[in-house]
Amino acid sequence: MAGLKHYKMAMDPAILKLGTMITNRHKYFRWTPRTARISFMYLVVVPAALGYIGYQTDGKYDLRAKRKGDLAVEY
C-alpha cells in the first residue's frame, strides 16, 4: 500500500522512561515512616476490616433461589 511501513513505530521517550522506572523500582525503594504506614494499612488493617465484616454478616443473607419480592435477609 504505497510503500508505507506500518510495522515501525516511533517509541515515545516518556513511555520508555516509565518502563525503565517500573523495572528498576525495587532498586530505589526506601522504608520511610510513610511507606511503613501504607504497608501496614494494606497488610493488616484492610484484611482485618474485611474479615470482621465477613464474620458479622456470615449466614445473614441468602441470595440463592430468591424470587421477585422475597427478602435477602434471613433474620
Side-chain angles (χ1 to χ4, degrees):
M1 300 196 86
L4 295 177
K5 296 181 180 178
H6 293 288
Y7 59 89
K8 290 189 176 183
M9 290 181 54
M11 296 301 291
D12 186 7
I15 294 176
L16 292 175
K17 187 176 179 180
L18 176 67
T20 304
M21 181 190 70
I22 290 172
T23 303
N24 297 324
R25 181 177 293 168
H26 67 281
K27 295 178 185 176
Y28 304 106
F29 178 78
R30 296 287 183 260
W31 281 107
T32 62
R34 180 178 182 267
T35 57
R37 188 170 40 252
I38 291 170
S39 298
F40 179 77
M41 293 294 278
Y42 280 113
L43 294 174
V44 176
V45 175
V46 171
L50 290 175
Y52 177 77
I53 292 169
Y55 277 113
Q56 293 300 316
T57 60
D58 188 30
K60 194 172 189 177
Y61 302 103
D62 186 18
L63 301 176
R64 292 184 296 162
K66 294 295 179 185
R67 296 181 185 201
K68 188 175 180 179
D70 289 345
L71 296 176
V73 179
E74 289 296 316
Y75 58 93

